[in-house]
Amino acid sequence: TGENGPGVELLFPSVMLAGVLMFAVSASDLSRFITLLPAPVMIGFCNGLAIVIGLAQLHPFVDADTHGWKGGFEMVWMLVICFSSMLLMEFLPKLPLRIFKVVPSSLVAVISSILIEFCVVRPLGHRTDVIRDVSEFTLDTAIPLPFFVKTKSQDYDLSAIFTGEGLYTIVVQGILLCIVGCIESLMTSEVVESFAKTPSDGNRTVLAMGAGNVLSGLLGGMGGNAMIGLSTVNCLNGGRGRLPPPPA
């Protein structure tokens, strides 16, 4: 439904199956094999993700109607907000003030971006897109519901799930999601260990990720795994416990 592509209803059981398979990976202690990965693989993993994440940030600068670059004052103010956020995140922690060692520079960058948009850009008669313009929250979508529950804003064709082709797609996607999710999350754990200087439990990581994917798939969400970008930002801003990841 909505702007989802065809066959999206097969995604949700695939994510749930991936979560169940992650339970099996955790129970069988397969996470220990991540130590067999060569160091160059870790370097390539980090650099490759950096390129992918960097290219993904160019999407908001493209006009959805013309598929070309945005122009005029909108582009100017987007660049101002973008580069001011980057400068704050890079140089704020280096200032010799204790408050900037406690308050994350990423949080300051977010607040400054909001202030620039609503205290400078819009009073001047211009605007840039905010989250509400891209994905608006409504009363119909505010509370997640199981994907098989039909509502005014959610109505998936579930008949494809129970066909031979549909089951085959679910199994293949579930296995691939499990493999990619486990490997990427365990490699992220290795990167975080290098920052935190403390060991992690790969089996618990995979177990928690499995539970999250089962719940996400049940509620009609996408699959997920450990995010090296947020994890790195958390570590660089002093996050060492279990509280920093949820707010991030």
Side-chain angles (χ1 to χ4, degrees), residues 32-56:
R32 67 184 187 276
F33 291 110
I34 195 67
T35 57
L36 299 178
L37 280 178
V41 173
M42 189 71 68
I43 297 173
F45 163 71
C46 294
N47 291 334
L49 275 181
I51 295 173
V52 172
I53 294 173
L55 292 175

Side-chain angles (χ1 to χ4, degrees), residues 2 23 35 68 92-93 100 105 109 114 129-130 138 142 144-145 165-166 169 177 187 193 210 225-226 239 244:
F23 290 152
T35 57
L92 206 60
F100 297 129
S105 59
I114 296 174
D129 288 341
V130 295
T138 64
L145 296 172
E165 183 180 357
T169 301
L177 286 171
M187 284 197 291
E193 283 185 25
N225 58 354

Side-chain angles (χ1 to χ4, degrees), residues 86-124:
M86 293 172 61
L87 292 173
L88 284 172
M89 291 187 63
E90 177 65 25
F91 295 107
L92 206 60
K94 298 179 181 179
L95 295 178
L97 296 175
R98 179 172 176 77
I99 187 174
F100 297 129
K101 304 298 182 183
V102 177
V103 179
S105 59
S106 54
L107 177 61
V108 177
V110 171
I111 295 175
S112 69
S113 299
I114 296 174
L115 292 176
I116 293 174
E117 173 67 23
F118 291 97
C119 297
V120 179
V121 179
R122 300 207 176 187
L124 290 176

